[in-house]
Amino acid sequence: MGTPETADTADAAARLAQITAATDVAEVRRLYDDWAATYEDVDVAGLMGHPDASRVADVVTEIAGPGADVLDAACGTGLVGAELAERGFTSIDGLDLSPGMIHRARRRRVYHDLGPADLRDGVPGASAKFDVVTCRGGFAPGHLGPRALTGFARVVRVGGVLVAAVDDATWAAHGYAEAVDRLRAQGLVRPVERSDPGLLVLEVRGDVPASRSVPWSP
């Protein structure tokens, strides 16, 4: 007979498989809404091969410091935001596809602003608004995809950073290296070399143009 932890992990893996197989964004939103209440029973992003939320927050603190304006993209239930708040960050916004996840994140009372958004093609709102964009759990099969990197870089001020978790298998199979190379060739980003496995850090070096207007999700 399996332990409760084993059952929770199996349930999380099954839910991730459903999300990966989903055929449209509305289905992904519904699946995450249904999952929100029990999402933190397992370290889901850890199952994806991503560093834990505390490590992401440590990296942001090392690079930018607690005075930075941060966007926590694909914020989920607010795990990264909570870790940043523990380190003294006070200007944290969050965006996520799922209203159910946002509801859970809002309970933490660490976000200045929270809202729903489909982040696959970018971030709604003004360019160059943040010093840091974090994304842990958004870059996985069935989720955002590498084109979101350009949209995230657009809302980072020159000299700021994007800190994103991408596991090695997803990086190799889904075009992330090519997306970063295109941005680097245009002089828009510079990869910051680090030893953290599964963590991409990009310094924004130029103003990234918007490819098109990105609407807020309903």
Side-chain angles (χ1 to χ4, degrees), residues 97-179:
L97 178 66
S98 162
M101 293 286 186
I102 291 169
H103 176 71
R104 294 275 165 174
R106 185 169 284 115
R107 291 182 176 182
R108 296 183 182 277
R109 302 190 179 204
V110 299
Y111 290 95
H112 176 261
D113 195 16
L114 279 164
D118 178 358
L119 299 170
R120 292 173 299 168
D121 292 315
V123 178
S127 298
K129 184 178 179 181
F130 300 98
D131 300 305
V132 179
V133 171
T134 63
C135 185
R136 175 182 181 260
F139 289 117
H143 290 69
L144 296 178
R147 65 187 181 186
L149 291 172
T150 300
F152 289 173
R154 180 186 68 83
V155 299
V156 176
R157 297 170 183 138
V158 172
V161 293
L162 165 62
V163 180
V166 189
D167 71 277
D168 290 344
T170 300
W171 175 273
H174 295 278
Y176 286 89
E178 293 82 357

Side-chain angles (χ1 to χ4, degrees), residues 11-29:
D11 176 71
R15 289 177 185 268
L16 283 174
Q18 286 182 299
I19 289 164
T20 300
T23 57
D24 61 63
V25 71
E27 185 178 2
V28 173
R29 182 185 295 113

